[in-house]
Amino acid sequence: MALKILERFRSTGWRGGLAVATLATTITLVLNSIFAIIVSSYPGDRTSKILLEGTCASTDRFNAVIHIAINILGMVILASSSYCMQILTAPTRTDIDKAHSQSIRLDIGVSSMRNLRHLPWMRTFLWCCIVLTSIPIHLFYNSIAFSGVRISQYAILLATSSFLDENALKSIDWASFNTSGPKFTTPVNPTRKIMSEMHQQLYSGNYTKLDVLDCVDAYSPQLQTGHGNLILVSDVASKPPVKAFKWGHNFDTSGWFCGGENTTGRETGRFWSAADQCNSDKHAYYGNKAHDWRPFGTKVDYCLAQNVVPQCKVFASLSSTFLVLMMGLLKLVIMLVAFFHIDSAPLLTLGDAIASFLESSDQYTPNICLCSAENFRLWAYKNTEWTPQLRPWVKKTRRWYSVIRVRRWILCWSLLLLTVPYTLFIGSYSPSGLGAWRKGLGTLDFQTIIRHSFLQSKGSIEIVVMILIANLPQAVLSLAYFAYNNIFTCMLQDVEWHGFSTTRKPLRVSGSRRGSQQSIYFLHLPYRFAIPLAILSGILHWLSSQSLFLVYIQYSLFPMCETTFTDCRNLADAEALEPHHYAASQFQKVGLGPSNSEIVSCGFSVLGALGVMLLALFLLLGAGVAGRRQLGDKGQPVVGSYSAAIAAACHSVGPSEKGDASEKPLKWGVTFADADAEIGHCGLSSGEVGEIDLAYLYSGIVKRSGQGKVT
């Protein structure tokens, strides 16, 4: 038994290829298992672990590298699954004979779902299991790692230049100074503590002076990570030095930025009637010298912005990791079952089918040597039996796309063209439209985050919804890969078929080679097509992972002086200035939504979506250009992947064909011709073949009756 198992793993041909695919799946499973074991020891909760915490620039790079690795492993899984599925859908000679006896053709050389109806139930079951284990992998794999950011509330102080004096705070009447900040219901005045700490930090070099337009650019992003508290300085000489105090929200800058709030403090401000125009493009609005920045009714001359080191995180989702592990393990088991279950050699390639039909002629397809795939489709449509026919050869200009059915083109084009509305939707969802491409790939910005009322805290059912939304394009692109691969497989198989009419060449087989037979192709495509297609597909999946991705945002607020949140009675000045993160459950206790604490959502990148769309259109253009290439043939019918059409061209007529013909180089042409009756037969032969003649009728074994009737 052990020797038999070892012998199978040492096999060449299709079984050797399946062994390699199984080994590749095993390696990806081992790597994913190592990843799961390592990240389990990282800090975090039951649902996710923190892989890296640091500056946003470093976490962005780390996140991009992780997703490159994920998509490389994903392509290995995809290619291995595709190989196994092609083997499972490939018919054996017994399957073909059974189908042909019912005038049913099967597909050879391509992955075909229609074959499943005519194959043993075990192979159909294994094929379905491969598909079912692939779906969760494509939907969850890219969400194993996702980025997050901690966003802190910041204080906004409108002051005169006298606020910069060392004793400026002594002139403020704190008792009459009000604020509409978070719920401060105790007699303690934390606003005073925050202002005092901000004033002290002015002398520690922790603030940077910005002119008005730089200040607008710095605080326009709604996910503010590079700056903290803000002091707006007006050169107007007046007392007191503090004119207004507000709370800035990273998730909503429109309230104060464009003069949309009432001014607090001692003065009543005026408001812009063009607030909407301001919010749509703050830089363009205030870059116009005609507009002064008066967020609280007083002209701002410059700003003092607190320097903050941006802090972001990269998380690993344990639930997604273990789901992918489980599906990978099931896939490996299924591939092992397929490896040991399949005993009869499947006809995987065109060469396999030709070799089989030359060694043992198909009894259901004699005398129809010029019948093409179109003829067999017509017979199937009319539900009639295959009947012998005499046919003239009709000269046609054939191109690569001739073999592809319209519905296959429609499926492939539809899946790839879905990237166009996908990109337009993402562009329309972004407030700045397609112009948001400047924000880069996979970057966090509140304007490029899907916001919806049902978003809840991390760990709830909504994270599953977000994962499915983020990875739905991955599933569509995987389907597009299979459809595109099938298109090129069909075209190149037809190119290989028509090559027999121009050049004598050996058969390409998936099993053990005999004689001059060759086995040089990866899967069903030549290396020069298979490798670039795999690379482009991997890039497409990576761009998709950077165009729509899972994000986690954690909010930190200034101390909220309520029993549920913070006891402010003994709060030091420095502590009052330190934002706190409150759990979602704390907000729920006072009737507020958990989204005040944290949000798990989907971020999107217009640049990533544009990349996906352009690469998809490039693939479509490549298929179209390749399909327009002319076939260099001398009259061969277009057989496509149709088993019956291939079998019809493999009947020996005329000089007896030796039993080892399939082991020799073959050529298609006229193998028999009756000059008197102008009747002949065409087919593949290892012997000499003639040129096809327009004046002849071609069929198979020809007998002439006494009356000259051809039968």
Side-chain angles (χ1 to χ4, degrees), residues 11-23 83 87 339 510 523:
S11 301
T12 57
W14 68 269
R15 198 181 294 278
L18 184 55
V20 172
T22 305
L23 178 62
Y83 190 90
I87 291 175
F339 183 81
S510 63
L523 296 182

Side-chain angles (χ1 to χ4, degrees), residues 67-180:
H67 278 90
I68 289 174
I70 287 174
N71 283 282
I72 290 174
L73 294 178
M75 276 308 304
V76 172
I77 295 173
L78 184 65
S80 300
S81 299
S82 175
Y83 190 90
C84 187
M85 290 165 65
Q86 289 173 352
I87 291 175
L88 290 171
T89 60
T92 63
R93 180 57 190 270
T94 303
D95 299 326
I96 289 176
D97 288 342
K98 183 179 178 181
H100 284 191
S101 68
Q102 305 170 43
S103 296
I104 297 173
R105 58 88 183 176
L106 299 182
D107 285 316
I108 291 175
V110 296
S111 186
S112 171
M113 290 180 61
R114 75 180 308 276
N115 282 2
L116 296 174
R117 293 175 292 176
H118 309 286
L119 299 180
W121 71 269
M122 185 63 175
R123 295 174 69 180
T124 303
F125 173 74
L126 292 175
W127 185 90
C128 292
C129 289
I130 289 284
V131 173
L132 291 176
T133 55
S134 297
I135 292 173
I137 292 176
H138 293 306
L139 289 178
F140 288 88
Y141 202 9
N142 266 286
S143 292
I144 281 181
F146 59 94
S147 58
V149 61
R150 181 173 179 175
I151 302 299
S152 298
Q153 188 180 33
Y154 55 91
I156 306 167
L157 187 66
L158 176 62
T160 63
S161 55
S162 60
F163 181 75
L164 305 181
D165 297 339
E166 186 175 352
N167 299 319
L169 296 182
K170 295 180 179 179
S171 61
I172 298 177
D173 181 8
W174 295 106
S176 61
F177 196 89
N178 300 315
T179 179
S180 59

Side-chain angles (χ1 to χ4, degrees), residues 501-518:
S501 69
T502 58
T503 307
R504 185 176 297 278
K505 59 182 183 177
L507 294 177
R508 176 181 62 89
V509 297
S510 63
S512 299
R513 293 174 290 178
R514 294 175 298 165
S516 62
Q517 292 175 350
Q518 296 180 352

Side-chain angles (χ1 to χ4, degrees), residues 199-468:
H199 188 265
Q200 291 178 18
Q201 289 186 0
L202 284 173
Y203 301 98
S204 64
N206 201 28
Y207 280 77
T208 300
K209 183 177 180 179
L210 302 173
D211 61 31
V212 171
L213 196 56
D214 289 339
C215 189
V216 168
D217 291 340
Y219 282 83
S220 291
Q222 290 180 299
L223 285 182
Q224 179 58 254
T225 57
H227 299 282
N229 298 326
L230 176 65
I231 301 174
L232 306 174
V233 181
S234 174
D235 288 335
V236 177
S238 64
K239 293 185 178 181
V242 177
K243 303 178 70 62
F245 183 85
K246 285 291 180 183
W247 303 101
H249 298 281
N250 283 287
F251 46 89
D252 183 15
T253 60
S254 60
W256 67 271
F257 207 103
C258 295
E261 286 186 341
N262 291 325
T263 304
T264 58
R266 295 177 178 270
E267 289 192 12
T268 301
R270 65 181 183 84
F271 309 106
W272 291 106
S273 59
D276 291 339
Q277 180 186 353
C278 165
N279 278 315
S280 64
D281 191 339
K282 299 178 178 66
H283 180 93
Y285 190 81
Y286 290 114
N288 186 341
K289 298 300 183 181
H291 298 134
D292 293 330
W293 190 22
R294 300 173 180 265
F296 302 111
T298 301
K299 179 183 176 182
V300 174
D301 292 293
Y302 63 92
C303 303
L304 296 171
Q306 184 185 23
N307 301 319
V308 175
V309 178
Q311 293 298 311
C312 294
K313 301 176 183 179
V314 177
F315 293 90
S317 171
L318 291 182
S319 56
S320 296
T321 301
F322 287 119
L323 178 61
V324 170
L325 274 178
M326 184 174 65
M327 292 299 105
L329 179 60
L330 289 174
K331 187 183 291 291
L332 177 60
V333 171
I334 294 164
M335 294 176 75
L336 287 171
V337 171
F339 183 81
F340 290 106
H341 172 74
I342 302 175
D343 288 319
S344 301
L347 304 183
L348 278 165
T349 66
L350 177 66
D352 292 338
I354 293 173
S356 176
F357 293 133
L358 285 177
E359 292 165 8
S360 176
S361 297
D362 181 45
Q363 60 179 311
Y364 305 103
T365 56
N367 306 324
I368 48 176
C369 62
L370 279 187
C371 285
S372 65
E374 185 63 35
N375 299 125
F376 287 97
R377 278 199 294 267
L378 186 61
W379 277 326
Y381 177 76
K382 294 180 177 179
N383 197 24
T384 58
E385 294 183 355
W386 304 335
T387 55
Q389 294 183 356
L390 282 171
R391 288 176 172 271
W393 176 64
V394 180
K395 187 175 182 180
K396 293 181 179 179
T397 300
R398 296 179 176 90
R399 301 187 183 276
W400 284 24
Y401 65 75
S402 304
V403 71
I404 309 298
R405 298 192 66 178
V406 174
R407 66 184 182 187
R408 281 192 175 179
W409 280 113
I410 292 175
L411 175 62
C412 182
W413 280 66
S414 299
L415 290 171
L416 289 174
L417 285 176
L418 281 175
T419 59
V420 176
Y422 169 72
T423 303
L424 293 177
F425 171 76
I426 285 182
S428 64
Y429 200 92
S430 172
S432 53
L434 292 176
W437 67 270
R438 299 181 185 88
K439 297 183 182 297
L441 286 171
T443 55
L444 285 173
D445 189 285
F446 199 72
Q447 290 185 341
T448 57
I449 290 178
I450 296 176
R451 301 179 293 279
H452 199 283
S453 59
F454 66 67
L455 295 178
Q456 300 293 323
S457 62
K458 180 167 62 72
S460 64
I461 190 64
E462 282 71 21
I463 191 172
V464 178
V465 176
M466 290 296 103
I467 288 175
L468 293 176

Side-chain angles (χ1 to χ4, degrees), residues 657-709:
E657 196 77 52
K658 293 183 180 180
D660 60 351
S662 63
E663 302 175 16
K664 300 176 180 179
L666 301 173
K667 190 173 183 180
W668 184 92
V670 177
T671 59
F672 167 81
D674 186 334
D676 296 331
E678 294 186 338
I679 293 173
H681 173 75
C682 301
L684 288 165
S685 175
S686 61
E688 292 298 321
V689 295
E691 296 287 337
I692 199 163
D693 194 324
L694 288 171
Y696 278 58
L697 296 176
Y698 294 93
S699 179
I701 300 173
V702 179
K703 295 180 181 179
R704 295 186 62 192
S705 65
Q707 291 76 25
K709 182 178 179 181

